[in-house]
Amino acid sequence: MKILLVDDHAMVRQGCASLLRVLLPEARVSEARDGEEALLSIQADIPGLVIMDIGLPGISGLETTRRMLVRLPQLPVLFFSMHDELSLVRQAMQAGACGYVTKKASPDVLVEAVRRILAGYPYIEQPLATELACQPQSDASENPRLRGMTQREFEIFVMLAKGMPAKRIAEQLCISGKTVSNYLTMLKSKLQVSSHAELVHLAIDTGVLRVGGSVAG
C-alpha cells in the first residue's frame, strides 16, 4: 500500500511520514512538497491514498485534489490541515476528498482516518463532524460578497479574520510578507472593506467567523 503525503513543511511532512511508517508498517510512504510535485508523483506511481495539506505554495491543496481526481476519480484523498474552519472542511469534501483531520488531532486519529478511508469509508475528525452536523448552513463562499474568491484568497481572508499576523501568514503559506500585504490590499478592494476591523465584521456577518473568535462554516 502506497501513501503519498503532500505538505510543504519538511518537519511536519517527515514527522508524519515517520509516524505512519511506525503505526502502519505495511504502508509505503512517499512525500511531495507541493501540488506540482504531487501531480508528477501520481503519474509515476499511483498511490492507494493521498494525505493532502490545504495551504500549499503555488497550486493549493484543494486545486491539486481537483486535478488529481480528474485524472484518477477513485483516488482517496484525506486532508490533513492546520485549518479547522468548517467552510474549508466543506470545500475539501466538495473537491472530492474522503476525509478531513486537523494537525491538532492525536496520531491515533490520523491513523484511524487512514484505515477507515482505505477500507472505503469517509472520515471527518469527530469535533468537526459534530459541528458540521449541528450547523448545516451553506458554505460561506456561496455568500454574494465572497463569491468569486480563489482558494488562496479565501484562505488568507480566514487567517486575517482570525487575527493572524501577516508575518505568520507568510510563514504558514511560504510566501513573502509583501505578497500577504498585496493580498490584503486586493481583498479590501474585492470585499469592499476599508479596514481590518471591517474585514473581521464581514467574516462574522457571512458566518465564517463566530463571535468569540471561533470559526463557523
Side-chain angles (χ1 to χ4, degrees):
M1 173 185 60
K2 178 185 176 183
I3 296 175
L4 174 61
L5 180 59
V6 188
D7 197 298
D8 59 312
H9 292 89
M11 290 185 65
V12 172
R13 187 177 67 244
Q14 292 165 12
C16 185
S18 297
L19 171 72
L20 291 171
R21 292 183 183 113
V22 170
L23 298 181
L24 293 170
E26 70 276 20
R28 180 167 57 94
V29 184
S30 62
E31 303 172 28
R33 60 189 172 186
D34 56 35
E36 291 88 346
E37 192 173 295
L39 291 168
L40 289 173
S41 178
I42 67 167
Q43 285 183 332
D45 188 7
I46 299 173
L49 172 68
V50 177
I51 299 178
M52 179 76 68
D53 191 13
I54 282 184
L56 299 174
I59 306 173
S60 74
L62 290 174
E63 180 58 28
T64 300
T65 296
R66 293 186 185 102
R67 295 186 189 186
M68 283 183 170
L69 295 179
V70 167
R71 300 180 188 180
L72 301 166
Q74 303 306 313
L75 179 64
V77 177
L78 167 64
F79 273 92
F80 184 51
S81 173
M82 67 176 183
H83 296 292
D84 60 0
E85 294 81 10
L86 298 190
S87 48
L88 290 178
V89 177
R90 289 193 180 97
Q91 286 188 45
M93 303 308 288
Q94 289 166 5
C98 295
Y100 197 105
V101 173
T102 68
K103 292 179 179 177
K104 296 181 290 187
S106 70
D108 289 344
V109 170
L110 177 60
V111 172
E112 181 184 0
V114 169
R115 286 179 171 152
R116 285 186 62 83
I117 290 172
L118 288 174
Y121 300 98
Y123 186 95
I124 297 177
E125 184 180 340
Q126 189 57 53
L128 296 178
T130 300
E131 285 195 70
L132 285 169
C134 293
Q135 299 178 20
Q137 69 265 30
S138 63
D139 193 325
S141 63
E142 295 175 2
N143 185 283
R145 294 192 67 182
L146 305 185
R147 191 175 296 132
M149 295 177 72
T150 67
Q151 165 56 28
R152 178 50 58 89
E153 290 168 354
F154 187 77
E155 188 174 9
I156 292 176
F157 169 63
V158 170
M159 290 173 145
L160 289 167
K162 291 172 71 175
M164 191 177 292
K167 182 179 180 181
R168 187 177 171 200
I169 294 174
E171 291 171 351
Q172 293 279 7
L173 300 182
C174 295
I175 57 180
S176 69
K178 179 174 174 53
T179 299
V180 175
S181 296
N182 290 341
Y183 268 109
L184 177 56
T185 300
M186 179 277 301
L187 284 169
K188 285 180 178 179
S189 175
K190 177 176 282 193
L191 300 174
Q192 299 178 355
V193 298
S194 59
S195 67
H196 186 269
E198 288 186 17
L199 185 145
V200 173
H201 288 152
L202 175 62
I204 294 172
D205 290 343
T206 55
V208 172
L209 191 69
R210 293 197 298 271
V211 175
S214 56
V215 176

